[in-house]
Amino acid sequence: MARNAHPEVTRNRILDAAQQLFITKGYEHTSIQNIVDELGDLSKGAIYHHFKSKEDILEELINRDNDVQDDFNESVMGRSDLTALEKFRILWHYSITAQDHVQIMRAAMPMLSDPVSFAANMRIWSKHLPERFLPLIEEGVKDGSIPTAYPREAAELLSLLPNYWLMPYFYPASLSEMEHRVRCLAAMLSAIGVPIFDDELIEMTTKGMMTFDRLPSAACGDSSPQRGEPRKGSQ
C-alpha cells in the first residue's frame, strides 16, 4: 500500500469532518463510522492510523481551538492603545461569541460527566487559568483600570465561577435567572475593584452561557490550560 504523501492534510480533513458532526449530531451521538461516512473516501483503519479514538479526535479539536485562542489573545495583549480593562472585555467578548470556539466547547461538555475528566478540568480552572488571568489583572492595577487589592483572588473567581457556577450544565437556569446570576458575579467583582462587566457584557454573557446546557450536544466554553494540555472548559 502506498504511503499517504500528505498525512497532515488527511488529519485535518478528519478533524474538520468530526467537528461538523460533533456540532450537528452531538459528540455522544457521533461514531467513527459516521466520520467515515462523512468523509466518503477513508476507512476506519485510516482514521485510527491518525487518531486512536473518538476522544483523541475531540482533544485534538480542543487543542486546535487552543492555538487559535492563543493567537487572538496574544494579538490583544500586545496592543498598547488599550487599558487592561479594555483588553479583558475584548477577550471575554471573543470567548463568548466566537462561533467555532463556542461550538467545540459545547461539543465537549458531555465529557465533564466523567469524574476523571471533571477533576482534570477543575485542576485547569483552579490552577492554570488563574495564572493566565493574573498578569492582565496586575496590568490593570498598574494602569488604574482595575483598581483591586485582590488580583489573585479575582483571577480565581473569574476562572472558577464562569466555568462552573454560571454553567447551566451544572446549575440549570432560565434566561432571567442566568442574568440575575451574571449580575451577581458582576457585583462581586466590582466590589473588589474589578469592574469587568458592563451592561453590554452582562447581556452577552447571559445569552452565551445559556448555550451550555445539558443537551447531548452541549459543551463548555474556554478553559485555558498551558499549551499542549487539552482544554475542556469555558472562558
Side-chain angles (χ1 to χ4, degrees):
M1 178 185 265
R3 286 182 176 274
N4 184 350
H6 304 286
E8 196 59 32
V9 172
T10 301
R11 188 177 176 87
N12 283 328
R13 285 188 61 220
I14 295 170
L15 289 171
D16 290 342
Q19 178 171 334
Q20 184 59 37
L21 288 168
F22 291 165
I23 290 169
T24 57
K25 293 172 63 69
Y27 172 77
E28 292 179 319
H29 299 292
T30 298
S31 66
I32 293 294
Q33 184 60 52
N34 292 145
I35 299 172
V36 169
D37 294 341
E38 179 75 10
L39 288 163
D41 60 350
L42 290 180
S43 65
K44 279 189 179 180
I47 291 178
Y48 283 124
H49 175 73
H50 292 277
F51 300 98
K52 59 186 178 183
S53 65
K54 187 176 73 168
E55 291 80 4
D56 193 33
I57 293 174
L58 180 57
E59 289 192 353
E60 185 59 31
L61 285 171
I62 293 170
N63 285 332
R64 189 167 73 167
D65 177 71
N66 188 21
D67 290 337
V68 174
Q69 289 279 97
D70 283 346
D71 288 343
F72 182 79
N73 290 352
E74 288 173 12
S75 71
V76 174
M77 290 296 291
R79 291 179 60 175
S80 59
D81 60 323
L82 300 171
T83 66
L85 179 61
E86 289 169 335
K87 292 176 183 178
F88 222 125
R89 286 174 174 167
I90 290 171
L91 293 175
W92 196 277
H93 178 280
Y94 180 82
S95 73
I96 291 292
T97 61
Q99 285 303 302
D100 286 348
H101 167 68
V102 171
Q103 288 170 342
I104 286 297
M105 295 304 103
R106 290 185 73 241
M109 180 62 81
M111 296 180 73
L112 294 177
S113 295
D114 172 64
V116 174
S117 180
F118 180 77
N121 276 272
M122 283 300 294
R123 287 193 295 271
I124 290 169
W125 301 335
S126 63
K127 296 183 182 297
H128 299 311
L129 193 53
E131 294 304 320
R132 298 287 293 271
F133 283 147
L134 184 57
L136 188 53
I137 295 174
E138 291 176 333
E139 180 182 329
V141 172
K142 290 179 181 178
D143 70 23
S145 63
I146 305 177
T148 184
Y150 305 98
R152 180 166 293 278
E153 291 79 3
E156 291 169 353
L157 286 172
L158 281 163
S159 303
L160 286 166
L161 296 187
N163 280 296
Y164 185 63
W165 181 60
L166 288 188
M167 284 290 166
Y169 185 84
F170 302 113
Y171 289 88
S174 66
L175 183 64
S176 62
E177 289 169 338
M178 178 59 66
E179 180 181 354
H180 198 65
R181 199 177 293 172
V182 174
R183 288 190 180 279
C184 178
L185 176 60
M188 285 191 288
L189 291 170
S190 292
I192 60 170
V194 187
I196 291 171
F197 289 95
D198 56 13
D199 286 341
E200 180 183 2
L201 209 57
I202 287 173
E203 180 181 0
M204 192 171 302
T205 300
T206 299
K207 292 178 179 177
M209 287 298 174
M210 291 305 294
T211 68
F212 299 119
D213 55 27
R214 271 198 173 270
L215 294 174
S217 61
C220 234
D222 175 17
S223 294
S224 302
Q226 295 170 331
R227 184 177 288 276
E229 183 176 2
R231 289 196 306 186
K232 302 170 188 171
S234 180
Q235 288 2 296

